[in-house]
Amino acid sequence: MKLSFRFFHTKITHLHPGASMVLTGDEMPMFSTLGIISDDAEVSDEIIYIDVFPRSEDFPPVHASVITTESRAGFFKECNLVVLPDGSDLVKITQLVSRTFTYYFGWSDALYEAIAKNNDLQV
């Protein structure tokens, strides 16, 4: 199961109505896990990255999908972005994204298990 960039943007705008989304291509990115931008981050299409820790400007992960703030958005010119107002609590956003993955993947696992065991799906 993967969750879309737009889905996370919608979740984030509940906390930060000023959040904007920028896509570099026609396809909507889809993710199966969360990552944190760091100087040694290896970019993967499966990961939605959060720019939590200040880091050097010489390692922007090209073509990654990143959640960041307005003042740092320029470091990620070739990335898909959810841009939050400066001063936004990215740790809370990290927790939101993590809880969202946990909730939906738990739901997905329970559904697949019920199907595999031929259980009633209405429970």
Side-chain angles (χ1 to χ4, degrees):
M1 177 177 194
K2 293 183 182 179
L3 301 174
S4 77
F5 204 51
R6 185 171 310 283
F7 179 81
F8 283 110
H9 175 255
T10 301
K11 289 278 190 190
I12 290 167
T13 56
H14 288 277
L15 291 176
H16 296 285
S20 61
M21 183 173 66
V22 178
L23 296 178
T24 59
D26 293 334
E27 281 192 39
M28 180 62 60
M30 304 288 286
F31 312 103
S32 59
T33 193
L34 166 68
I36 303 297
I37 291 293
S38 65
D39 287 336
D40 59 351
E42 295 198 20
V43 178
S44 168
D45 293 340
E46 299 281 317
I47 301 173
I48 186 170
Y49 295 93
I50 301 182
D51 184 30
V52 175
F53 305 112
R55 53 176 208 34
S56 66
E57 299 172 19
D58 60 347
F59 187 76
V62 177
H63 305 297
S65 295
V66 180
I67 298 171
T68 191
T69 57
E70 290 173 341
S71 63
R72 293 190 50 82
F75 299 144
F76 305 103
K77 292 182 193 252
E78 297 181 42
C79 298
N80 298 307
L81 299 176
V82 170
V83 181
L84 301 167
D86 287 334
S88 298
D89 189 345
L90 289 176
V91 172
K92 282 188 179 179
I93 297 301
T94 303
Q95 292 168 344
L96 169 71
V97 172
S98 178
R99 281 192 315 266
T100 302
F101 275 123
T102 301
Y103 175 80
Y104 283 95
F105 287 169
W107 173 84
S108 175
D109 290 346
L111 179 64
Y112 292 142
E113 183 179 336
I115 290 170
K117 292 180 178 178
N118 202 23
N119 291 342
D120 185 4
L121 300 178
Q122 299 299 318
V123 178

